[in-house]
Amino acid sequence: MMNVIVIPVPHYGFDPTEAAVPWDYLDKQGVEIVFATPDGQMASADERLLTGRGFGPLKKFLMADSNALTNYRRMIASESFKRPLRYADIDPSDFEGVLLPGGHDKGMKTYLESQVLQEKVSEFFLTEKTVGAICHGTVLAARSINSKTNKSVLYDYETTSLLKVQEMGAYYLTALWLKDYYRTYSITVEGEVKSVLKNVRQFQSGSLSMNRDSLENEGPAFVVEDRNYVSARWPGDAHTFAKKFYQRLKQNY
């Protein structure tokens, strides 16, 4: 089916920017988007990233920006978001691609640890469909096993992910009052993704900036493309990630 993709998310805790910014861009390009959750019930994003509550003086830098919040409100009002599939009902043959958002709330574990979803992601790779992963979404890709090789589907791909310096920086800045909010697991996202690669040199970090990209300005963003796979690091890359994913989707069709 031309230009139909699936975006799986957990029940709760996904990053609103990493889901809604790509959704908005792809929707405006005429891509049909289907959502999926563990049991087919409507999901919701990490509330702290929507309101900034608990971030204190760092609120401006850590929560979703006004553009992402506008996109999120439009996304959750869409019929496709209100009526998601179950993970188990995703048939990769029905889609041209899959887009994997991130998020660091502990609610993400139902998504990152789903063996059903990992098997679906593996099938997207094996059939060379377009796969996009941003931030913790790369962990889901890293945990998806190629049934032919018993290695991660990312084993011989170049990739990026949320960087250790970003994850630990946010943790140290907020640990006094948010405890381990920024530590989804004891291993960092970068550490886990690197651990499944054939060679750690396949991992690319890019240059760091506190600024976020926009549709008009890709400057701060860093996105890695390798064959059918597109990866990015954090919400600040989301607009460029969406555009690169769409370009790859068109090329692969």
Side-chain angles (χ1 to χ4, degrees):
M1 299 173 72
M2 183 178 179
N3 287 344
V4 185
I5 70 160
V6 61
I7 301 180
V9 289
H11 287 123
Y12 174 80
F14 65 89
D15 187 296
T17 303
E18 293 169 2
V21 166
W23 174 86
D24 179 73
Y25 180 80
L26 295 168
D27 179 64
K28 288 174 178 175
Q29 308 312 308
V31 176
E32 183 180 342
I33 301 157
V34 175
F35 286 90
T37 61
D39 58 4
Q41 298 299 308
M42 185 174 167
S44 57
D46 182 343
E47 188 68 22
R48 181 170 278 124
L49 296 178
L50 295 172
T51 65
R53 191 175 300 116
F55 284 142
L58 302 174
K59 176 179 178 178
K60 177 181 176 181
F61 301 101
L62 297 179
M63 71 175 287
D65 64 18
S66 59
N67 174 68
L69 293 175
T70 297
N71 293 342
Y72 178 74
R73 286 191 289 269
R74 197 169 80 86
M75 181 182 77
I76 63 174
S78 69
E79 286 303 311
S80 60
F81 189 84
K82 292 177 180 178
R83 301 177 184 277
L85 294 177
R86 297 186 309 145
Y87 290 165
D89 292 334
I90 297 172
D91 183 345
S93 66
D94 288 341
F95 302 98
E96 288 306 310
V98 59
L99 193 148
L100 309 175
H104 47 260
D105 184 90
K106 300 300 186 292
M108 288 291 291
K109 290 185 177 183
T110 61
Y111 162 83
L112 299 173
E113 298 176 6
S114 170
Q115 292 187 356
V116 170
L117 189 52
Q118 290 168 20
E119 290 171 3
K120 303 295 185 180
V121 171
S122 177
E123 190 171 340
F124 277 99
F125 272 95
L126 290 173
T127 53
E128 299 182 345
K129 300 291 183 75
T130 304
V131 179
I134 181 169
C135 196
H136 282 64
T138 58
V139 171
L140 177 55
R143 293 176 177 180
S144 300
I145 302 302
N146 182 325
S147 58
K148 297 179 181 178
T149 65
N150 288 322
K151 298 182 185 298
S152 169
V153 292
L154 294 187
Y155 179 70
D156 64 353
Y157 277 85
E158 292 189 354
T159 188
T160 190
S161 75
L162 179 68
L163 304 180
K164 179 178 180 180
V165 66
Q166 294 175 304
E167 185 173 351
M168 296 307 296
Y171 166 69
Y172 287 126
L173 280 171
T174 62
L176 186 62
W177 67 95
L178 293 183
K179 309 303 180 185
D180 65 347
Y181 169 71
Y182 273 104
R183 300 303 314 282
T184 314
Y185 296 102
S186 58
I187 186 172
T188 63
V189 170
E190 179 179 334
E192 181 164 355
V193 171
K194 280 182 173 179
S195 74
V196 305
L197 302 178
K198 183 178 181 180
N199 191 308
V200 294
R201 286 177 293 183
Q202 293 162 224
F203 188 91
Q204 299 182 31
S205 300
S207 58
L208 279 175
S209 171
M210 286 294 291
N211 297 319
R212 301 188 181 208
D213 72 351
S214 66
L215 287 177
E216 298 76 25
N217 179 23
E218 296 182 6
F222 182 70
V223 176
V224 174
E225 298 178 79
D226 187 354
R227 291 161 281 174
N228 60 311
Y229 174 60
V230 181
S231 58
R233 304 168 302 182
W234 73 301
D237 299 332
H239 291 89
T240 306
F241 170 69
K243 289 194 285 185
K244 298 293 186 183
F245 178 87
Y246 178 63
Q247 290 165 8
R248 191 56 51 113
L249 190 68
K250 289 197 299 181
Q251 292 170 7
N252 284 357
Y253 179 72

